Amino acid sequence: MKIPSSIWTLLIGIVLTLASLWYGQNHGLLPTAATDEAVLVDGLFNAMMIISTGIFLLVEGILIYSAFKYRRRAGDNEDGPPVEGNVPLEILWTAIPAIIVIGISVYSFDVYNEIGGFDPHAIHEAPMNQESMKMPGHGSAMAATLTDTPPSTEPNLNQEKSDEAMQDPATAEVRNADQIPQLRNAPGVGIVAPTIGGSPDRAGKPPQLRVNVTGLQYAWIFTYPETGITTGEMHVPIGREVQINMTANDVIHAFWVPEFRLKQDAIPGRQSEIRFTPKKAGDYTLICAELCGPYHGAMRASVVVETEEAFDKWEQEQLVASKETLNQAVAVNPANLSPNEFLAPYTKDMGIQPEMLHQIHK
């Protein structure tokens, strides 16, 4: 019994679809998804992997089949039939990729918007004026990117963000904002610093945790404005939206945690912002993804995602370990314990004995 070609085409289409769907969801090419934003990015990546796998199998399958089916037979020395073209087929294989590209573009835009990358209000922060219409040089867009923005009477929102961050004494000790001028916003374009804000459902709401990040050759320094903690290891709690305000003291660096699926530049003179919501506990590595000097490859830091309870405990340990806040930690003793009794839960893992604390507070 001869199976019709239409049935073969249907069966092959089903097999290709199932194979593409399976591999697109089980490729194992991505690290752990540790934030809510990572799930959205992974969905986009998986969709593109499904489409790519299907196209690859289809094209390679047709190529292998054609090479075998239409190979030259022994004793066949004739020329092939003169085929001038197939207009319907050419329209088909042009239309299908166009539809795929448009679909991926729409999906990508939706994901970018969901993670807070699209801010329709940013352009209104720096209204267009007559000066912004004048491009330096001979009207070259390239020339415009190589020079600072023209003088303006508009507020320097980038400077305001820098001043706000510098109100935290711990951040002020780390950054050298007084030595690096804060660039103005580009008129009609919006803020000069790259920003990934809150998701649409949290638009206009303050973040639940703020961390100021400063990049310098070759280290990352994290300061927590609410508590005054300064550390070389970033801790964030699960389920709480975190806002990272970052800049650089020397050259351009890039904040990249692969498990978060987010990357943002830290630029001298500019205040970058990025928001994310951790969802999976673990120790992750912050990597500088911008060539920043001969020791660029060693510029790494630890990022710890932990439960709310573990994060609160870490905060208390940092406060107790800080000399500047030691007396304050004892002053808020809720149970009227002695200093060494109050500090014992936080110092036992540090190898500090109660007798030593007693001698310090005598």
Side-chain angles (χ1 to χ4, degrees):
M1 176 182 176
K2 184 178 181 180
I3 301 177
S5 59
S6 58
I7 300 299
W8 276 114
T9 303
L10 178 61
L11 292 175
I12 292 173
I14 293 174
V15 171
L16 288 178
T17 301
L18 294 177
S20 301
L21 288 171
W22 180 85
Y23 184 74
Q25 301 293 330
N26 299 277
H27 49 74
L29 299 176
L30 298 174
T32 302
T35 64
D36 291 344
E37 293 75 13
V39 176
L40 298 173
V41 176
D42 286 2
L44 173 61
F45 185 89
N46 291 343
M48 292 191 294
M49 184 61 69
I50 290 172
I51 295 171
S52 302
T53 302
I55 293 175
F56 174 81
L57 293 176
L58 178 63
V59 172
E60 295 302 316
I62 293 175
L63 180 64
I64 294 173
Y65 171 80
S66 299
F68 177 80
K69 174 73 175 179
Y70 302 106
R71 70 189 187 279
R72 195 184 72 165
R73 311 287 178 170
D76 183 5
N77 297 318
E78 297 181 359
D79 294 334
V83 179
E84 296 183 1
N86 188 319
V87 175
L89 182 60
E90 292 177 1
I91 293 176
L92 182 65
W93 69 37
T94 301
I96 291 178
I99 294 173
I100 291 175
V101 170
I102 292 174
I104 292 177
S105 299
V106 173
Y107 189 10
S108 301
F109 180 84
D110 181 66
V111 170
Y112 189 61
N113 182 48
E114 286 295 321
I115 66 176
F118 177 69
D119 184 3
H121 304 291
I123 191 169
H124 300 299
E125 294 181 359
M128 184 69 74
N129 53 41
Q130 198 65 29
E131 290 181 354
S132 66
M133 301 295 292
K134 301 176 182 178
M135 305 293 282
H138 298 286
S140 166
M142 179 63 73
T145 64
L146 297 178
T147 62
D148 199 358
T149 52
S152 173
T153 58
E154 297 293 333
N156 188 344
L157 301 181
N158 196 49
Q159 181 67 57
E160 292 176 5
K161 287 186 177 182
S162 175
D163 294 341
E164 180 182 358
M166 295 294 282
Q167 289 178 4
D168 172 36
T171 301
E173 289 183 2
V174 173
R175 295 186 176 178
N176 58 353
D178 56 329
Q179 303 175 22
I180 299 178
Q182 301 300 307
L183 301 182
R184 282 190 167 275
N185 296 331
V189 177
I191 56 177
V192 298
T195 298
I196 295 181
S199 57
D201 60 331
R202 291 195 57 84
K205 298 180 181 179
Q208 296 169 310
L209 176 66
R210 284 188 174 90
V211 183
N212 292 335
V213 178
T214 305
L216 64 158
Q217 294 174 317
Y218 299 90
W220 297 99
I221 300 178
F222 311 96
T223 53
Y224 293 73
E226 288 87 354
T227 57
I229 293 174
T230 300
T231 177
E233 179 180 89
M234 187 169 74
H235 285 242
V236 291
I238 295 175
R240 206 193 293 186
E241 186 187 45
V242 181
Q243 175 179 299
I244 301 293
N245 300 309
M246 73 182 84
T247 189
N249 279 1
D250 35 43
V251 298
I252 297 177
H253 302 280
F255 181 100
W256 179 45
V257 182
E259 291 79 5
F260 292 0
R261 309 292 192 273
L262 297 172
K263 185 174 79 70
Q264 191 65 282
D265 287 345
I267 307 172
R270 305 189 183 189
Q271 305 299 311
S272 303
E273 178 183 313
I274 189 171
R275 292 195 187 193
F276 59 87
T277 303
K279 65 183 289 290
K280 187 171 184 179
D283 294 346
Y284 307 107
T285 302
L286 165 59
I287 302 170
C288 177
E290 190 77 32
L291 182 60
C292 58
Y295 299 102
H296 159 71
M299 186 171 172
R300 301 190 173 208
S302 294
V303 177
V304 180
V305 177
E306 54 197 357
T307 63
E308 192 76 33
E309 296 77 14
F311 177 75
D312 292 340
K313 180 181 178 182
W314 174 81
E315 274 193 332
Q316 291 299 320
E317 290 174 348
Q318 295 300 308
L319 290 173
V320 170
S322 172
K323 295 180 180 179
E324 297 179 358
T325 58
L326 182 60
N327 293 332
Q328 296 178 7
V330 176
V332 297
N333 186 344
N336 198 27
L337 301 174
S338 65
N340 55 324
E341 290 175 330
F342 178 73
L343 296 175
Y346 307 106
T347 57
K348 64 180 181 180
D349 295 331
M350 302 169 62
I352 301 177
Q353 301 299 323
E355 295 78 8
M356 184 182 301
L357 290 174
H358 180 70
Q359 291 295 328
I360 293 176
H361 292 281
K362 285 181 64 175

